[in-house]
Structures are given as C-alpha cells and as structure tokens.
C-alpha cells in the first residue's frame, strides 16, 4: 500500500486472556513516512474476541479523530474486522450499538481506509496489547515508542524479518 502525505496509519490489535476475564489492546499511530506519532494501551475488561476487536477499532478511531487526523488507514490482522464495518448489521444484531458508533466516526471522516495486514506486521501492537494486560491502568497514552516495542517497530518499518 502506498501511503500519501496527510494519511495516518493505525495499527491495532487486542489480546484476550484464556479465561476471557481480561482484555488488552494496543494501538500505534504513524504518519505516512511511518514516523511514530502516538500509541496507547487499554484494558477493556472481559468479552468475546470479536467485541474486543470492535471496541479497539472504535477507541482507535475516536482517539485518532480527537488528535485532528481525518485521513485514516486502519490496519488489522482480522479480515472479519476489516469487512464488518462495510457490511454493517441490522439493529437486532448483538453488535449493532458498537457498529453504529464505529459508523458514526467513520462516516464523519469519509476518508477511512480499511486494510488487512498479516499477523507478523502487527507485532508492535501485539507487544503493546500484551503489556496492557500487565498494566495497572485502564488507558495510557505513549508519545514516544517505548523500548519494548522499538525492535518490533524497526522490523515493521523496514519490512525486515528475523528468524
């Protein structure tokens, strides 16, 4: 995917514990040159993986929108998450409210690109999501890349793979 000036890229993912009692999500926001702008971690409580991914997307869109960015590319390693906002769902569907919230933010910008990426590409946010499970706060913003994700960001930006 070719990134154009003014476009920001969101990489997001979530991890849920085995007992589904705790859910952590990670988010990395980068500009079109892949420069780190911000990141955050969040604990969302316990729920299904699909609800967790949808909550993460909603939180990501709201956070990015609040920072003033209007041209957004969302990268997720879940094909269902990438397809679901385009498909929508009926008002009797259990995920209707969260999908409606995603559409409200999405429709405001009219410039959201949904992009499926390989799991390996999402390693920086996977690392943040794992850290979120260990963190003692519900939501924390990073304005610089912490040491525990720098290695994964370098691999992501340079598209380098190490065994």
């Amino acid at each position: 995917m070719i990134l154009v000036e003014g476009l920001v890229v969101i990489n997001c993912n979530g991890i849920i514990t085995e007992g589904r009692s705790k859910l952590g999500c990670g988010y990395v926001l980068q500009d079109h040159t892949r420069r780190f702008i911000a990141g955050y971690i969040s604990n969302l409580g316990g729920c299904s993986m699909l609800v967790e991914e949808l909550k993460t997307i909603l939180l990501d869109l709201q956070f990015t929108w609040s920072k003033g960015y209007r041209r957004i590319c969302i990268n997720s390693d879940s094909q269902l998450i990438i397809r679901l906002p385009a498909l929508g769902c009926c008002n009797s569907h259990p995920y209707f409210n969260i999908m409606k919230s995603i559409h409200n933010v999405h429709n405001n910008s009219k410039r959201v690109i949904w992009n499926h990426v390989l799991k390996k590409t999402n390693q920086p946010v996977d690392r943040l999501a794992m850290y979120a499970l260990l963190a003692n706060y519900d939501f924390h913003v990073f304005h610089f890349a912490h040491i525990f994700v720098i290695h994964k960001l370098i691999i992501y930006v340079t598209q380098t793979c190490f065994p």
Side-chain angles (χ1 to χ4, degrees):
M1 174 184 203
I2 298 172
L3 300 177
V4 295
E5 192 169 340
L7 183 73
V8 293
V9 179
I10 296 173
N11 278 69
C12 57
N13 206 6
I15 294 178
I16 194 165
T17 58
E18 229 175 271
R20 296 180 188 257
S21 61
K22 199 169 181 186
L23 172 81
C25 72
Y27 158 99
V28 172
L29 177 66
Q30 296 172 308
D31 69 11
H32 69 283
T33 65
R34 301 284 191 197
R35 183 183 59 84
F36 183 90
I37 297 171
Y40 74 73
I41 59 172
S42 178
N43 285 310
L44 300 174
C47 55
S48 74
M49 185 59 91
L50 181 58
V51 170
E52 173 269 325
E53 292 278 354
L54 290 171
K55 284 182 177 180
T56 300
I57 293 287
L58 177 59
L59 201 56
D60 297 342
L61 280 170
Q62 290 170 335
F63 183 79
T64 305
W65 188 262
S66 74
K67 294 285 186 190
Y69 298 106
R70 299 298 182 258
R71 296 177 66 198
I72 303 166
C73 174
I74 298 176
N75 289 335
S76 175
D77 58 17
S78 168
Q79 287 186 3
L80 180 59
I81 291 300
I82 294 302
R83 290 185 194 152
L84 203 52
L87 298 174
C89 56
C90 64
N91 60 3
S92 63
H93 194 278
Y95 304 142
F96 175 75
N97 288 335
I98 193 162
M99 288 302 302
K100 183 178 177 185
S101 298
I102 289 170
H103 276 273
N104 287 343
V105 177
H106 179 276
N107 289 336
N108 281 339
S109 76
K110 305 262 190 231
R111 293 184 177 166
V112 175
I113 299 166
W114 299 86
N115 187 38
H116 179 255
V117 295
L118 298 175
K119 180 84 173 150
K120 190 180 282 190
T121 307
N122 251 2
Q123 288 179 354
V125 290
D126 286 347
R127 183 66 59 97
L128 282 173
M130 284 187 268
Y131 182 71
L133 290 175
L134 304 171
N136 291 327
Y137 31 74
D138 293 333
F139 186 83
H140 183 72
V141 177
F142 300 101
H143 296 288
F144 58 92
H146 279 265
I147 192 71
F148 58 86
V149 294
I150 288 177
H151 177 260
K152 300 295 183 185
L153 283 169
I154 291 169
I155 292 170
Y156 172 66
V157 170
T158 61
Q159 302 299 309
T160 305
C161 294
F162 296 103

